[in-house]
Amino acid sequence: MARFIQTHTSRFNTSPGTTEIEHLGGSSRPCRVWLISWTGDSIHEQEVDDLHGLSSGLDGGEYHWVNITGLEDEASIALLGKEFSLHSLTVEDITNTNHPPKYEAHEKYAFTIMRMLRQAGGEMVSEQVNFILLHRVLLSFQEIPGDVFEAVRNRLRSGRGRVRSSGTAYLQFALMDSLVDNYMLTVEKLGGEIDAMEDDMFSGTDDAPISAIREYTRQITMVRRYVRPVMEMLEQLKKSDQQPLEADLLPFYSDLQDHIRLVNDGVDGYRELLKHQLGMYTALKGYELNEIIKVLTIISTIFIPLSFIAGVYGMNFLHMPELSVPWAYPAVLGGMVLAASTMLILFRRKGWLGGKPKRRARSKRPE
C-alpha cells in the first residue's frame, strides 16, 4: 500500500532546524556546485571547489546561478547556508527532501520548493528541487545529477530568448516553467500508457491488467500529490510583497498557473479513467465467468434427461418388459440422442450456445 505520510523517527525529539540528509541515489558523496555568471553581453561557467567565501566572491555587477547537485554532504550544505545567510529552518527543509511544493518569503530571500518527476524503469521517481532567490543570485538544490533544465542552460549560453537579458527572478521562472512542462509530458506519457493498457485489456492481450491498473493509479496519485499544491504555491508567490519579483513577471506566473490547471485536469481525468477501467475489467471478468457458468449449466441440463433414462434402465428389477425387447436398447439410445439434439438446437436458437438468438417476426396489424 502506498504511504502518503512518511515518518522519520530519527528526527523525533530533535530541535527545529536540525538537518538530516534524506536523499535519492544511495551512498553518500560530496555535492557538486556549478556556477553560471552572466550579463547581457557575456557569460562564463565554472565548477566551485571551495565554498568558503563564495557569497562575497560573486561579482555584484553580474547575475549568478549557483546549482548544487547532491545533498548528502551535510557539511557543505550547512556551509552554503552560512555563506548566504539562510535560516536554519530553510537549510533543514532543503536537506529533508520529503516536502510538498511550498513558498516562503524571508527578509532577504525567497524560498521555493518544487518537485521534479521522472519515470525510471517503469517507476515514478520524485525529486525535490529547492530555489533560493536572493538579490542577483539564484541558488538551486537538486538531490541527484540529471534534470530538465538543459534547455534553459542552452538559452542562457546562446543568448536566445529573454533569460539572458533578464535577471535571476526570470531565471527562476524559466526553471519552474521547465518543471511544469515536464509535468505535462509525464502526464501525457502516462496517459498514453493508460490508453494502450485499456486497448490491450479489451483485446485480451494483457494478462495482468489489475496489477497494471494498480501501478498506474499509484503513479498518477503521486503526480497529483506533488502537482496540486503548486497552484496554491504560485498564488502565494504572486501575492508576496517580499518576493524580489519584477512586476512584468506576474503575467508569466499566471500563465504557469494555467499550465498547472491543465496538468491537474489531466491527472483528475486519468484517475477517473483508471477507476472506469477497473470497473469495466471487473464487469468483463464477471461476464466471462457468467459465460463459463452458462456453458457448464447447458451441459449439465443436457445430461439431466440422459442421466434420468440411464438411471431408470439401470435399476435391478426382475420384471422390466422393455429389457426383453430386441430393439429396446437402440431405441433408448436413439431417444437419448434425440433428446440431447433437441436441447442443443433449442439452446442454439435462443443464442445460449453460440450464434445469435432468432427474433420472432412481428405480426402485421390488420388494416
Side-chain angles (χ1 to χ4, degrees):
M1 180 179 293
R3 297 181 60 189
F4 297 105
I5 299 179
Q6 297 184 0
T7 58
H8 305 279
T9 55
S10 59
R11 291 184 55 201
F12 292 166
N13 300 320
T14 60
S15 60
T18 302
T19 60
E20 178 186 348
I21 305 301
E22 302 163 2
H23 58 85
L24 300 171
S27 60
S28 177
R29 55 190 171 189
C31 66
R32 182 186 182 190
V33 180
W34 192 259
L35 172 63
I36 301 179
S37 303
W38 77 94
T39 62
D41 301 323
S42 63
I43 182 173
H44 56 91
E45 306 178 42
Q46 60 177 326
E47 185 170 1
V48 179
D49 297 323
D50 187 5
L51 301 181
H52 292 85
L54 175 61
S55 175
S56 59
L58 297 178
D59 188 347
E62 296 179 323
Y63 294 105
H64 306 278
W65 175 17
V66 183
N67 186 57
I68 299 94
T69 302
L71 305 181
E72 302 93 326
D73 190 348
E74 184 176 352
S76 297
I77 301 301
L79 179 57
L80 284 169
K82 292 180 180 179
E83 282 289 323
F84 292 95
S85 302
L86 304 182
H87 196 281
S88 60
L89 292 176
T90 300
V91 177
E92 179 186 10
D93 287 345
I94 291 173
T95 56
N96 299 330
T97 56
N98 291 306
H99 288 283
K102 73 171 186 176
Y103 168 79
E104 291 180 354
H106 294 261
E107 183 178 355
K108 295 183 179 180
Y109 63 89
F111 177 42
T112 306
I113 295 178
M114 290 189 69
R115 309 293 303 193
M116 180 162 52
L117 302 176
R118 68 182 77 179
Q119 282 186 304
E123 292 285 334
M124 183 66 65
V125 179
S126 171
E127 175 187 352
Q128 181 168 309
V129 180
N130 311 277
F131 298 108
I132 304 290
L133 183 59
L134 303 105
H135 179 63
R136 304 183 75 88
V137 177
L138 176 66
L139 306 179
S140 60
F141 296 83
Q142 302 173 213
E143 295 184 58
I144 56 178
D147 53 41
V148 296
F149 302 144
E150 196 59 32
V152 178
R153 293 188 182 95
N154 291 335
R155 295 205 309 269
L156 191 60
R157 291 162 182 155
S158 63
R160 292 183 291 107
R162 180 175 173 174
V163 65
R164 177 78 167 269
S165 59
S166 302
T168 50
Y170 184 83
L171 174 62
Q172 177 182 257
F173 160 76
L175 298 176
M176 294 171 65
D177 184 59
S178 296
L179 291 174
V180 173
D181 288 344
N182 184 60
Y183 295 161
M184 300 180 73
L185 293 175
T186 301
V187 173
E188 183 179 354
K189 182 180 179 181
L190 274 176
E193 294 176 359
I194 291 171
D195 291 337
M197 179 190 65
E198 183 177 26
D199 295 337
D200 293 340
M201 181 174 64
F202 287 103
S203 64
T205 58
D206 193 346
D207 296 330
I210 288 293
S211 59
I213 291 174
R214 180 179 178 183
E215 176 61 24
Y216 284 125
T217 301
R218 187 188 67 82
Q219 293 189 26
I220 209 72
T221 301
M222 176 183 288
V223 175
R224 184 176 185 268
R225 176 190 178 191
Y226 290 128
V227 171
R228 186 162 291 273
V230 175
M231 179 65 68
E232 180 182 355
M233 181 268 290
L234 290 174
E235 193 64 31
Q236 293 177 351
L237 187 149
K238 288 170 56 180
K239 293 180 179 179
S240 174
D241 55 357
Q242 292 179 290
Q243 163 78 340
L245 180 67
E246 292 88 346
D248 60 345
L249 288 182
L250 293 178
F252 290 92
Y253 280 101
S254 297
D255 182 68
L256 200 59
Q257 284 182 306
D258 293 337
H259 292 173
I260 286 294
R261 288 190 187 95
L262 292 176
V263 175
N264 285 330
D265 290 343
V267 168
D268 291 340
Y270 284 119
R271 287 181 75 236
E272 291 300 320
L273 179 59
L274 286 168
K275 292 179 182 179
H276 173 72
Q277 288 180 350
L278 181 59
M280 290 295 294
Y281 178 76
T282 304
L284 180 62
K285 287 302 177 183
Y287 173 77
E288 292 177 354
L289 180 60
N290 288 338
E291 288 295 308
I292 294 173
I293 294 175
K294 183 176 71 174
V295 172
L296 295 177
T297 302
I298 289 174
I299 295 174
S300 301
T301 303
I302 292 173
F303 274 91
I304 286 175
L306 307 185
S307 300
F308 174 75
I309 295 172
V312 169
Y313 289 102
M315 293 186 293
N316 296 322
F317 289 107
L318 295 177
H319 301 287
M320 295 185 72
E322 298 90 342
L323 298 180
S324 61
V325 179
W327 47 265
Y329 178 70
V332 170
L333 289 181
M336 295 173 71
V337 172
L338 179 62
S341 301
T342 302
M343 296 181 72
L344 284 172
I345 293 173
L346 177 63
F347 292 153
R348 187 169 182 82
R349 287 175 64 88
K350 288 184 173 292
W352 296 348
L353 194 64
K356 296 182 179 180
K358 293 185 177 181
R359 297 181 179 179
R360 295 181 179 179
R362 294 183 179 180
S363 59
K364 295 183 179 181
R365 294 182 179 180
E367 296 181 357

